Amino acid sequence: MPSTTTADLAALLRDAAIEYARRGLRVIPLYPLTRELVCTCRAGAECGNSSGKHPWLREWQKKATTDERQILHWWRERPLSGIGIATGAGSGIIALDVDPRHNGDETLRTLIASYGELPATPINLTGSGGQHYCFRHPGRPVPNDAQGALGPGLDIRGDGGLIVVEPSLHYGGRCYAWDVEAHLFD
């Protein structure tokens, strides 16, 4: 977003966070990135793969909300916060997180070859070139698994997890975006 001003970006993030909440998704603010794409958390440049992808609130799982007043308060406090959506029963979604840097795309192709195609579902394109395939929560506990139980580069964002969503900025310089053919609101 090179031509976007800081004020424009702040408004875009705030308005998007409110729209997610209006759709019943529990929102949580994530640490903003500096102009140099460094996380504003205490670790700063040492934050690594978590840069701009983790909440700045303690006990965020309990605080994720659809309350517009609370969301406005958070974005007034830190206007360039990225947007996290709490996955799990509260938001009604879970996500398959495919990370190509850890061969998730290959693992997914292997699983599809063995078990068939995934159903049509919204896809969140991550700033690192991966995808979050979003599914309706099944109404029973779905553990959040970031250990790759399905195979290398595949994680489950279930109860207690989160995904980063559009228009949040990734530390690699790209923004998260919904696949034009499979937006979460469709």
Side-chain angles (χ1 to χ4, degrees):
M1 291 184 214
S3 63
T4 303
T5 68
T6 300
D8 290 341
L9 180 57
L12 186 66
L13 287 160
R14 179 201 62 228
D15 293 349
I18 294 219
E19 185 59 26
Y20 287 115
R22 286 180 178 161
R23 305 277 183 147
L25 299 166
R26 294 172 53 237
V27 172
I28 196 72
L30 308 176
Y31 276 104
L33 296 172
T34 67
R35 289 185 186 272
E36 294 77 28
L37 303 175
V38 173
C39 194
T40 57
C41 73
R42 285 186 194 172
E46 303 302 314
C47 191
N49 288 341
S50 294
S51 290
K53 299 187 330 185
H54 56 110
W56 50 265
L57 295 170
R58 287 194 170 100
E59 298 184 354
W60 65 266
Q61 292 93 338
K62 295 177 186 175
K63 295 176 182 174
T65 188
T66 59
D67 183 291
E68 291 183 33
R69 287 192 339 240
Q70 180 62 62
I71 292 166
L72 286 170
H73 173 76
W74 287 333
W75 265 265
R76 275 193 299 273
E77 192 173 333
R78 295 186 189 183
L80 297 177
S81 292
I83 303 168
I85 299 297
T87 54
S91 288
I93 65 168
I94 60 172
L96 173 63
D97 183 354
V98 181
D99 186 349
R101 293 171 303 158
H102 295 102
N103 298 321
D105 47 352
E106 184 58 38
T107 303
L108 182 58
R109 277 194 292 277
T110 301
L111 289 173
I112 288 172
S114 296
Y115 299 102
E117 291 291 329
L118 291 173
T121 191
I123 301 170
N124 180 36
L125 306 173
T126 72
S128 63
Q131 303 88 29
H132 296 141
Y133 289 82
C134 297
F135 301 94
R136 242 185 216 108
H137 191 278
R140 58 178 168 67
V142 177
N144 190 53
D145 172 43
Q147 304 305 313
L150 294 175
L154 295 182
D155 296 330
I156 302 295
R157 302 297 176 202
D159 297 302
L162 71 80
I163 59 172
V164 182
V165 294
E166 178 181 311
S168 302
L169 183 61
H170 186 272
Y171 66 86
R174 293 177 21 190
C175 290
Y176 290 78
W178 291 102
D179 184 303
V180 293
E181 295 182 19
H183 192 286
L184 188 62
F185 296 161
D186 293 338

